[in-house]
Each structure stands twice: as C-alpha cells, then as structure tokens.
Amino acid sequence: MKIVTKYIVVLVILVGFTSCQKNSRPNYQYMPNMYESVGYEAYQESDAFGNGVEAQLPAEGSIPRGDFMPFEIENTNDGYAFAKSNLQSPLDSLQVNYEEGKVLYDIYCGICHGTKGDGKGKLVQREKILGVPAYSDAGRAITTGSIYHVIYYGKNTMGSYANQLNENERWQVVAYVEKLKADLEK
C-alpha cells in the first residue's frame, strides 16, 4: 500500500507540472516597466515632467562637463621626472591658503605622513604602513611638480587622490607640504 501511495503522489506531481506548462502563450511578466522602458524623444511633449517637455535643464549644483581639466603629464617614471623638474604651481602668493591646505592635508595625508610631515602618522605608529619617509629626508628631493604628480597619480603604496581633491585643492595641499618641508629643514 505504501508503494502505491508513493507512485500516485509522484504521478500527481508530474501531471501537475506538465499541465501548467503551455508553450503557446508567454509567461507572466511582473513589473515589465523595469526592463522594457519607454523611450522618450528629447523635445517631444509629454506628461512625464511638470513643464510638459522631455528636455530638462541640468539639476541645480551639477558640474558642467567642460570644467574638468585633464593632467597632461603621463603616469610614468619619465612623466614623474618631467613634473619634478618643470611643473610649477599656478597659484600666486595671494591664492595660497595654508589653513585650507592644512585641513585637506590632515584629512588625506596626515594619517600616513604625520601632521608635521615627519612620516609618523597614526598608521605608521600602529605599524599598519611602514617606511613613510619624512619630507626633510636628504634622499627625498621633492619639488612642487613631484608633489603634485604623486598626489594626482600616486606612487608606490600611496594611491591617487585625484578623485578626492579638485585641482585647486591639490595645489593647496602642495603648498602646505612645501611649508611642512621648510619647517622640518630649519
């Protein structure tokens, strides 16, 4: 009796699966707008937006595409040497803001390089990162261009900060690093 019951249960399940499948009609689609979006023409009239036109102005506070200035020096050893010898800050003495540079330096650089530029940041003290030299080390002849190049592309274990800092902020950090270097060399 048990075997007959098992056969009947298996037979009912198989009949149930095969009877529910009908290849002549498509399956159900739940939320078809998620993968079959409505295509709008740019300047057509529509009720989708409040002013009745598809083309909208950019959101307030958005950054125009043309404001991004690419860095023309390449990320190679030759590019680093070129930047080290030729690149100069576009900021004059009135545009340099050491307070802003200090704030940005403390946020992005001080954790490894130390707040004084001595290579003794929190991560170095906790031995998470080793071998961060001080800005005043004799073998480390850093210049304005080399600092900017390293901030833009990164070097060795230091990553790039080009996405975190805009061009003006990078130059403010460069000016502050040069100030720290001068303070350490006194």
Side-chain angles (χ1 to χ4, degrees), residues 43-65:
Y43 293 103
Q44 77 181 18
E45 293 181 8
S46 171
D47 296 331
F49 298 101
N51 62 359
V53 180
E54 291 300 323
Q56 300 293 306
L57 293 173
E60 187 176 331
S62 61
I63 300 170
R65 289 180 126 175

Side-chain angles (χ1 to χ4, degrees), residues 89-109:
S89 176
L91 304 178
D92 61 15
S93 60
L94 297 175
Q95 292 173 318
V96 172
N97 184 347
Y98 290 118
E99 289 80 24
E100 179 185 353
K102 178 183 179 357
V103 169
L104 294 169
Y105 178 87
D106 288 343
I107 291 171
Y108 297 108
C109 311

Side-chain angles (χ1 to χ4, degrees), residues 29-128:
Q29 292 183 353
Y30 299 101
M31 296 184 213
N33 290 342
M34 295 295 287
Y35 49 89
E36 293 178 12
S37 62
V38 178
Y40 293 109
E41 292 295 325
Y43 293 103
Q44 77 181 18
E45 293 181 8
S46 171
D47 296 331
F49 298 101
N51 62 359
V53 180
E54 291 300 323
Q56 300 293 306
L57 293 173
E60 187 176 331
S62 61
I63 300 170
R65 289 180 126 175
D67 286 351
F68 175 74
M69 295 298 294
F71 189 47
E72 299 295 328
I73 300 173
E74 56 192 27
N75 185 16
T76 61
N77 288 336
D78 292 336
Y80 175 77
F82 178 80
K84 186 173 184 176
S85 60
N86 297 320
L87 188 61
Q88 296 297 321
S89 176
L91 304 178
D92 61 15
S93 60
L94 297 175
Q95 292 173 318
V96 172
N97 184 347
Y98 290 118
E99 289 80 24
E100 179 185 353
K102 178 183 179 357
V103 169
L104 294 169
Y105 178 87
D106 288 343
I107 291 171
Y108 297 108
C109 311
I111 191 77
C112 297
H113 291 277
T115 56
K116 297 178 183 174
D118 55 3
K120 297 179 184 173
K122 291 287 185 194
L123 293 179
V124 174
Q125 291 172 358
R126 294 177 185 168
E127 296 180 354
K128 303 292 182 190

Side-chain angles (χ1 to χ4, degrees), residues 97-174:
N97 184 347
Y98 290 118
E99 289 80 24
E100 179 185 353
K102 178 183 179 357
V103 169
L104 294 169
Y105 178 87
D106 288 343
I107 291 171
Y108 297 108
C109 311
I111 191 77
C112 297
H113 291 277
T115 56
K116 297 178 183 174
D118 55 3
K120 297 179 184 173
K122 291 287 185 194
L123 293 179
V124 174
Q125 291 172 358
R126 294 177 185 168
E127 296 180 354
K128 303 292 182 190
I129 296 176
L130 302 175
V132 178
Y135 295 136
S136 62
D137 287 350
R140 198 161 182 229
I142 59 175
T143 65
T144 303
S146 67
I147 297 167
Y148 189 86
H149 192 274
V150 169
I151 290 172
Y152 195 87
Y153 288 119
K155 189 169 177 90
N156 298 331
T157 57
M158 179 181 156
S160 170
Y161 285 89
N163 289 334
Q164 287 85 358
L165 301 167
N166 64 35
E167 185 177 6
N168 184 49
E169 291 172 339
R170 287 191 292 266
W171 284 115
Q172 296 295 344
V173 171
V174 168

